[in-house]
Amino acid sequence: MKKLFVLSSALIFINATQITNLFEAIKKIPETKIDQLAIKQMKTNEKKVISSLYPKLNIFSSFEHFSSPANIKPQPPTMAVKLAKEGKGYWFSQNITKIGFVASMPLFVKEIYDNEKKLKHIVQIKKYQAKINLLKREALLVTYLSKLNYLFSLKNALKLKADSIQTTLNAIKVGVKIGRIPKFKELRLEDALNNIKIKENEINTAIDNTKSQIYILTKKNINKPIKFEIISSVKPQEYIALKPLKENLKAQQINLKVSKDAYYPKFMLEAKGYRAFAKAYNNDDHLAENFASIGIYMNWNIFNKTNNTDIQLAKISLLKSNLEIKKTIKNLTAEVNKIKSSIKDINKALHLQENSIAIKEQLLKSARTAFELNTMTVDEYLQYEDNLAEARANLANLIAIKNTLIANLAFIYGNNLERIFK
């Protein structure tokens, strides 16, 4: 008994390692990595908004030709008089070359600060969406593994049925040879075995399709059942689908502020300077003059009809986000209630099905004896075989459905499926 317990524990450990490896494999597929990149992309957008608060510096150069002499830099009247007395060239020319810089920095632009706050919530939305996508894939994995295990169990049930029929067939062949049992019964059993092989081929096709779905999720080829069990109950908590919606609601609230920010004045600090090179138009003197300025500039959008439209659109989006949360709560609550009720029904059905299998096994033994004694028709005997095989298949199907329901419930609550299934 102790050895049997150790062996069972070892098998459970092996299976736990297998399903755990598959959960880990999901985290490495391209779809999961794309979700992570989406988070990084949004964080980069957040940094981009923050970066707009830093000074900007541009360097420029130019060569300009004018139809009439233009000033290289502003020239006050007193300087013009001085230059005339000294016989120097005026700061005017038709061809002017410049090299210089422009530096600017926002002092107060309210929408930048509000956009930064909005993007923080959008980053959180992306994080929640990535987590939801991962949990959804894990729940799908449990569903596909449950289906795969069911199909293997169905195939095994058919094999047990075929072995049982083959045993009966071997037992009656002697009676057929001596004429005590009609040849019809032997042919009928052989036809039943042939039909089982046809069904096995259909099951093999379904198994291959399920394997393909598991490969898409994990990039792993599965060639045998992956047995696992429920080791922990689902922990009720806030629906995971509500978290990104609530973050989106906060983002929409800030977006309304951003729309109203258009009415605030914008203050910018700007500095610029250049060195100009030219020939004076009056005496061709070579000129090289510097000019620079620094100032604070205000830009105030007093009237823009589109701003009112943007505010109305932001209010509509905010209202829509509120309604989306209420709708999600309503739908998920109904789904949770349905799943919990279904799990209770399945737990009862599992107990009844296990008892049914035990009874059908005893009935089949009696039916086989009656058939071999030629007191039961072949169709009556095969019906007992069908009943037992169907009961075994139903049990496997109930287990698969229960696993799927538990996985879906865990997904709705945002539970870690690796904690629940081992």
Side-chain angles (χ1 to χ4, degrees), residues 307-412:
N307 290 344
N308 291 331
T309 305
D310 291 339
I311 291 172
Q312 292 303 314
L313 289 172
K315 288 180 178 178
I316 292 171
S317 296
L318 184 59
L319 179 61
K320 187 178 177 181
S321 296
N322 266 309
L323 292 174
E324 191 67 31
I325 289 174
K326 292 178 181 178
K327 171 189 162 187
T328 302
I329 292 173
K330 172 179 67 70
N331 293 345
L332 289 181
T333 300
E335 183 67 17
V336 165
N337 291 338
K338 184 180 78 171
I339 289 174
K340 288 181 177 179
S341 178
S342 296
I343 290 173
K344 288 180 181 178
D345 293 338
I346 284 180
N347 285 333
K348 293 177 183 177
L350 281 169
H351 178 69
L352 293 172
Q353 199 65 45
E354 288 170 351
N355 291 337
S356 179
I357 289 173
I359 293 171
K360 284 178 171 57
E361 286 174 343
Q362 295 300 319
L363 289 173
L364 178 59
K365 289 179 182 179
S366 300
R368 182 182 293 112
T369 301
F371 179 67
E372 290 173 359
L373 294 174
N374 206 20
T375 59
M376 180 180 285
T377 66
V378 65
D379 288 325
E380 289 174 334
Y381 161 70
L382 288 176
Q383 187 62 52
Y384 284 98
E385 291 283 5
D386 291 342
N387 291 342
L388 179 57
E390 183 180 356
R392 286 170 173 163
N394 287 341
L395 178 63
N397 188 44
L398 287 171
I399 293 172
I401 292 173
K402 180 180 178 180
N403 288 336
T404 300
L405 290 172
I406 293 291
N408 288 338
L409 188 61
F411 166 65
I412 290 173

Side-chain angles (χ1 to χ4, degrees), residues 170-278:
N170 294 338
I172 70 166
K173 279 184 177 180
V174 176
V176 172
K177 282 184 180 180
I178 64 176
R180 186 174 62 85
I181 298 175
K183 180 71 174 178
F184 164 76
K185 290 189 175 183
E186 180 181 353
L187 293 175
R188 190 72 178 79
L189 293 180
E190 288 177 350
D191 181 57
L193 289 173
N194 188 59
N195 288 334
I196 288 174
K197 290 179 181 178
I198 293 172
K199 289 181 180 179
E200 283 180 344
N201 286 334
E202 293 175 356
I203 293 171
N204 286 335
T205 300
I207 286 174
D208 290 337
N209 290 336
T210 307
K211 285 180 182 178
S212 176
Q213 291 169 324
I214 292 172
Y215 182 84
I216 291 172
L217 281 175
T218 63
K219 288 186 69 177
K220 300 287 185 181
N221 290 308
I222 305 299
N223 297 313
K224 60 181 181 179
I226 304 296
K227 300 298 181 183
F228 57 92
E229 59 183 355
I230 302 168
I231 63 166
S232 180
S233 59
V234 176
K235 181 181 178 182
Q237 55 190 24
E238 183 183 39
Y239 303 144
I240 187 71
L242 291 177
K243 292 185 177 181
L245 293 178
K246 288 184 175 181
E247 288 295 331
N248 183 60
L249 179 63
K250 294 175 183 177
Q252 292 300 329
Q253 289 170 339
I254 297 174
N255 190 55
L256 180 58
K257 291 182 180 180
V258 172
S259 300
K260 294 178 180 179
D261 289 344
Y263 289 109
Y264 283 83
K266 300 176 178 64
F267 293 90
M268 300 288 295
L269 175 67
E270 187 174 289
K272 53 190 174 182
Y274 63 82
R275 185 171 180 81
F277 304 91

Side-chain angles (χ1 to χ4, degrees), residues 30 42 53 55 68 100 104 115 131 171 178-179 239 262 278 299 306 314 319 329 337 352:
M42 196 51 61
L53 294 170
S68 61
S104 63
N115 273 322
K131 184 177 180 180
I178 64 176
Y239 303 144
N299 185 356
T306 59
L319 179 61
I329 292 173
N337 291 338
L352 293 172

